[in-house]
């Protein structure tokens, strides 16, 4: 069926607060986000508006490799802000939150994914990464996710 959604664009690479995976370096991160709350190897944690989770930045050889932004309902973020820019997700992954109606919508060529509910359009997390293939994305960043629905275990 035809939708009014734009088709995914490979010319738009996602960034967060001006930080672009594969381009931005640790100095850019410090200038933008300040001092990390914690640092564990190449993973830096920064305050988010979610009291339970910190935003994360992963670096590789001093360059940003991955960013994870945690979203709270008060921010009034909707999946529409992503789909209006990138189109309908090229891939949907099933993971730990799938039984609650939340799926990981991935745009490998744009370097963005979001954990969201397609019915309510609520977004819990937005992931930013260097453009890649869906297979490499799953292997590197989404090990607990699958292209096929997971069996419910009760």
């Amino acid at each position: 069926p035809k939708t009014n959604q734009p088709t995914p664009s490979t010319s738009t690479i996602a960034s967060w607060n001006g930080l672009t995976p594969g381009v931005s370096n640790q100095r850019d991160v410090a200038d933008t986000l300040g001092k990390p709350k914690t640092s564990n190897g190449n993973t830096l944690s920064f305050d988010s508006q979610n009291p339970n989770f910190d935003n994360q930045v992963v670096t590789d050889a001093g360059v940003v490799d991955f960013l994870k932004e945690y979203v709270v309902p008060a921010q009034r973020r909707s999946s529409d802000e992503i789909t209006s820019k990138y189109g309908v997700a090229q891939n949907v992954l099933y993971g730990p939150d799938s039984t609650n109606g939340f799926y990981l919508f991935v745009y490998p060529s744009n370097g963005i994914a979001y954990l969201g509910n397609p019915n309510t359009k609520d977004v819990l997390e937005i992931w930013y990464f260097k453009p890649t293939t869906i297979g490499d994305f799953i292997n590197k960043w989404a090990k607990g996710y699958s292209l096929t629905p997971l069996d419910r275990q009760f």
Side-chain angles (χ1 to χ4, degrees), residues 5 77-80 83 102 114 116-124:
Q5 298 287 346
R77 305 281 296 273
S78 161
S79 59
D80 287 342
T83 58
F102 286 87
Y114 68 92
N117 182 310
N119 298 317
T120 63
K121 299 188 177 185
D122 290 334
V123 173
L124 300 178

Side-chain angles (χ1 to χ4, degrees), residues 15 33 42 57 94 117 120 127 144:
S15 64
L33 301 176
N42 291 340
V57 177
Y94 302 87
N117 182 310
T120 63
W127 301 10

Side-chain angles (χ1 to χ4, degrees), residues 23-91:
V23 176
S24 303
N25 60 37
Q26 285 180 299
R27 179 181 295 271
D28 298 326
V29 172
D31 290 346
T32 303
L33 301 176
K35 186 176 184 212
K37 188 174 171 181
T38 62
S39 175
N40 182 2
N42 291 340
T43 303
L44 310 173
S45 298
F46 296 88
D47 282 328
S48 77
Q49 292 191 31
N50 185 322
N52 301 310
F53 300 101
D54 293 326
N55 291 329
Q56 296 177 338
V57 177
V58 179
T59 60
D60 182 21
V63 176
V64 174
D65 204 22
F66 179 84
L67 301 143
K68 185 184 286 187
E69 173 190 12
Y70 285 93
V71 178
V72 294
Q75 290 175 284
R76 298 196 177 279
R77 305 281 296 273
S78 161
S79 59
D80 287 342
E81 76 180 70
I82 297 168
T83 58
S84 68
K85 185 170 187 177
Y86 301 102
V88 176
Q90 299 158 337
N91 300 275

Side-chain angles (χ1 to χ4, degrees), residues 106-142:
V106 187
Y107 302 77
S109 61
N110 300 105
I112 190 167
Y114 68 92
L115 183 63
N117 182 310
N119 298 317
T120 63
K121 299 188 177 185
D122 290 334
V123 173
L124 300 178
E125 302 171 6
I126 304 175
W127 301 10
Y128 306 85
F129 49 91
K130 290 189 288 193
T132 186
T133 64
I134 188 63
D136 287 347
F137 172 81
I138 293 169
N139 288 335
K140 189 165 188 178
W141 304 117

